[in-house]
Amino acid sequence: MNIENLHQLYLKCTSISTDTRKIEKNSMFFALKGGNFDANTFTSQALEKGANYVIIDNENYYINSQTILVKDVLETLQDLAKFHRNYLKIKIIALTGSNGKTTTKELINVVLSKKFRVKATYGNLNNHIGVPLTILSFNEQTEIGIVELGANHQKEIEFLCQITQPDYGYITNFGKAHLEGFGGIEGVIKGKSEMYNYLIQEDKIAFINFDDILQEQKTKFIQRFSYSVKNKNSDLYIEKIVANPFVEIKFNQETIKSNLIGIYNSNNIIASILIGTYFKVSDEDINEAISNYFPNNNRSQLVHKNNFTIILDAYNANPSSMKVALENFIQLEDKNKIIILGDMFELGNESAEEHHEIINYLTNFPSIHCYFVGLNFFENKKQQTNFSFYKNFEEFKTGFYIENKSSMVLIKGSRGMALERVLDLL
C-alpha cells in the first residue's frame, strides 16, 4: 500500500497508537520494534481493543484487511508523518538546543494559543518516533504546530527537519549535552546547526538570540527575527531582567512576572515573547500567558515542604545546565543552603572531568552543604572534604540526614537518577 492510500485510511482514524496499553478505539496502531519487544506480536490484541488498522512488518501476524503489511513499520510511520505535514500545509515552528527546549516549547505554546489554534509536542516526544507522532497529532483545525527536535548524534536534526519541514526554527543554545554521541562540544554545535542548514536551504526564518555570538554568526545568511538585551536595534529589545528567585522581564514597557525560577530561564521566556511578537500576539496577551504558566515535570519547580524551600530541577542535567542552575542558586539570598546533585549521563570520555569541575566549583562555597549521588561523582571523593558522596540512591537514602530547619535546597541530576525521590526524605 502506498503512503497516499495509507493516509486516506489514517484520516478515517481518530488517533495514532504505538502502545496497546494505551490504545484508543478507532485508532491506527503501528507495531514498532524495540530492544526488548516486537509489537507485531500484539496485532490481535490491538484489534481486539478497538484499533481500526494495525501496521505490521511481519507477515506471520497478518490477520485480515485491517492488518496492513509494510516493509518497515518505523519508516512507514515517518513517511506518513511527512506526507501528512505536506497535506496540512500549516505553519510549523521547530526548536532544538542543548537546554531549555521543553520549557521554551511550552511557553511558545501558551503565548501563541492566545491568538491561534496551536498544537505542540506532548511532553518530550522529540526523537525519530516522537516527532512523527507529534506531526500526526496535527489536524485541519491546527493553525500552528510546534515541534521539539531532540538529538544525541550527528545528522539526527537534519533527518527530523526533513520530516517536520519547519517554516521557522529556534535553537535555544549550544551546550555540553550528549557529548558522547556528538563527539564533544564542537560536535554539539555542528549537530544542532543542522537546523540552520535546513532553514537556509529552504529560505525559511530563524528566531535567534542576537547576543549569542555563535548564533548571530551562523544565521547571517538566513532570514532572521532576533531579540537582544544589549542591542536596541534588534527586533525585540529586552529592557530589564530580574531573577530573585522568579524571573521578571520588561519589554515595551510591559513587565512580566513569571513563575519560573533562575536567570537561566530568562532566554526561554524571551524566546516565547519574540515569537509571540512575530505572530502579532498583543503584549498584554503575552504577559498574561507567561504570567499564568507554571512549570511541572520536575523542571525548576518551587516546592515547599516542612521548613524546606526546594528548587526541584531533577528532570535532566548536563554540565551546561548544571552550572547555570548552581550559579543561580548560589546567588539567592538565603543563609542556609543545601545542594543535592546526581550524576550527569551521556558525557563519554569527558564524564570524569565534567563531574570533577562541578565539585571543584562548589569548593568555593564551603558554607553550602553539598551531597553528591552516583558513581561518577563518587569517584571524585576525597578524604579531606566537607562534601558527602554516595554511590547510588539507596546508599544516599540510608545515610542522608539533615536537620529540619529553615533551608533552601537545590535538587538536580540526570533523568536516570530520578532525584525527585529526595522529596520523600525531607
Side-chain angles (χ1 to χ4, degrees):
M1 179 177 290
N2 63 36
I3 288 296
E4 185 174 0
N5 290 336
L6 183 63
H7 187 254
Q8 290 299 312
L9 296 180
Y10 154 77
L11 292 177
K12 298 176 183 178
C13 298
T14 55
S15 63
I16 294 289
S17 179
T18 60
D19 187 342
T20 52
R21 294 169 298 182
K22 302 175 183 177
I23 202 164
E24 297 177 2
K25 288 187 177 181
N26 303 318
S27 65
M28 179 175 280
F29 180 80
F30 281 78
L32 297 172
K33 296 186 185 73
N36 301 311
F37 68 91
D38 178 358
N40 281 277
T41 61
F42 301 130
T43 300
S44 60
Q45 186 178 341
L47 291 173
E48 288 168 5
K49 287 191 172 184
N52 276 353
Y53 301 98
V54 178
I55 314 303
I56 61 172
D57 50 17
N58 186 332
E59 61 184 3
N60 293 326
Y61 294 94
Y62 182 87
I63 297 175
N64 54 34
S65 59
Q66 286 181 279
T67 46
I68 299 170
L69 181 65
V70 299
K71 184 178 179 180
D72 185 284
V73 170
L74 176 57
E75 287 183 8
T76 300
L77 175 67
Q78 293 164 344
D79 290 344
L80 181 63
K82 187 174 181 179
F83 187 93
H84 186 59
R85 190 271 176 271
N86 288 317
Y87 169 81
L88 288 178
K89 295 182 174 61
I90 64 173
K91 297 296 183 184
I92 288 185
I93 302 165
L95 67 154
T96 189
S98 299
N99 304 310
K101 293 186 296 296
T102 301
T103 298
T104 304
K105 176 257 300 182
E106 295 293 337
L107 288 165
I108 296 170
N109 188 7
V110 296
V111 167
L112 293 183
S113 293
K114 285 290 185 179
K115 184 176 180 181
F116 304 95
R117 293 188 296 274
V118 183
K119 280 198 173 182
T121 298
Y122 178 75
N124 68 328
L125 294 174
N126 59 18
N127 63 6
H128 61 296
I129 297 173
V131 168
L133 291 175
T134 295
I135 293 172
L136 289 167
S137 73
F138 301 161
N139 56 40
E140 292 179 340
Q141 282 70 52
T142 308
E143 294 179 308
I144 297 177
I146 306 169
V147 184
E148 180 181 330
L149 309 183
N152 56 20
H153 58 266
Q154 305 291 341
K155 299 297 183 180
E156 193 168 4
I157 295 297
E158 178 183 291
F159 176 72
L160 295 177
C161 280
Q162 292 300 323
I163 296 175
T164 307
Q165 300 173 49
D167 301 284
Y168 311 91
Y170 176 66
I171 299 178
T172 59
N173 48 46
F174 301 105
K176 294 180 178 180
H178 305 295
L179 297 180
E180 184 174 20
F182 278 116
I185 186 62
E186 291 302 319
V188 172
I189 295 169
K190 181 181 178 182
K192 299 296 183 182
S193 294
E194 288 166 11
M195 176 180 285
Y196 288 151
N197 298 339
Y198 175 86
L199 296 175
I200 194 169
Q201 289 169 6
E202 301 297 325
D203 195 27
K204 303 300 183 180
I205 296 171
F207 297 113
I208 73 160
N209 174 0
F210 200 78
D211 300 330
D212 184 324
I213 296 173
L214 196 55
Q215 290 198 38
E216 193 279 326
Q217 290 175 342
K218 285 183 170 293
T219 57
K220 281 184 177 179
F221 302 105
I222 306 176
Q223 295 184 71
R224 59 190 184 183
F225 196 73
S226 65
Y227 72 82
S228 173
V229 298
K230 301 174 182 177
N231 189 339
K232 291 185 178 181
N233 293 322
S234 61
D235 297 293
L236 174 68
Y237 174 64
I238 301 301
E239 300 161 35
K240 187 178 180 181
I241 301 173
V242 177
N244 192 30
F246 297 106
V247 180
E248 293 185 20
I249 291 174
K250 185 177 180 181
F251 74 105
N252 296 345
Q253 303 301 311
E254 194 86 19
T255 298
I256 296 177
K257 296 183 178 181
S258 79
N259 299 292
L260 287 160
I261 291 173
I263 197 71
Y264 53 89
N265 267 312
S266 61
N267 283 340
N268 302 334
I269 297 170
I270 296 169
S272 68
I273 298 171
L274 177 74
I275 293 171
T277 300
Y278 178 87
F279 284 98
K280 300 189 184 325
V281 180
S282 71
D283 292 348
E284 294 79 9
D285 281 346
I286 291 173
N287 192 336
E288 184 178 3
I290 296 172
S291 298
N292 289 324
Y293 172 78
F294 289 86
N296 53 27
N297 295 329
N298 306 322
R299 290 184 177 91
S300 298
Q301 285 181 258
L302 191 67
V303 179
H304 295 282
K305 185 172 183 182
N306 297 327
N307 290 320
F308 302 109
T309 299
I310 305 155
I311 297 177
L312 181 60
D313 197 4
Y315 183 80
N316 218 335
N318 58 55
S320 298
S321 66
M322 187 78 84
K323 188 71 180 293
V324 295
L326 289 172
E327 288 173 346
N328 177 76
F329 183 74
I330 287 165
Q331 61 85 33
L332 295 177
E333 296 178 1
D334 195 283
K335 291 181 180 180
N336 193 37
K337 290 179 182 174
I338 298 165
I339 293 175
I340 302 170
L341 302 181
D343 276 355
M344 301 174 288
F345 297 152
E346 295 186 60
L347 299 181
N349 294 332
E350 299 182 47
S351 180
E353 180 182 350
E354 295 294 347
H355 283 84
H356 176 75
E357 281 194 17
I358 294 295
I359 294 169
N360 192 50
Y361 171 72
L362 287 171
T363 59
N364 297 310
F365 309 96
S367 64
I368 299 178
H369 303 281
C370 297
Y371 301 84
F372 300 93
V373 186
L375 284 174
N376 290 311
F377 275 126
F378 188 83
E379 289 174 358
N380 287 274
K381 182 178 181 181
K382 297 178 181 178
Q383 293 297 323
Q384 303 298 324
T385 179
N386 294 323
F387 297 159
S388 299
F389 293 84
Y390 305 88
K391 290 180 181 179
N392 51 50
F393 187 81
E394 290 307 311
E395 188 177 292
F396 171 75
K397 182 178 179 180
T398 302
F400 171 73
Y401 173 79
I402 54 176
E403 187 179 347
N404 184 18
K405 64 179 181 179
S406 180
S407 304
M408 180 166 277
V409 184
L410 171 66
I411 302 173
K412 188 166 180 65
S414 281
R415 181 83 302 267
M417 297 302 297
L419 285 191
E420 63 274 11
R421 294 178 290 174
V422 173
L423 293 180
D424 295 330
L425 308 180
L426 296 177

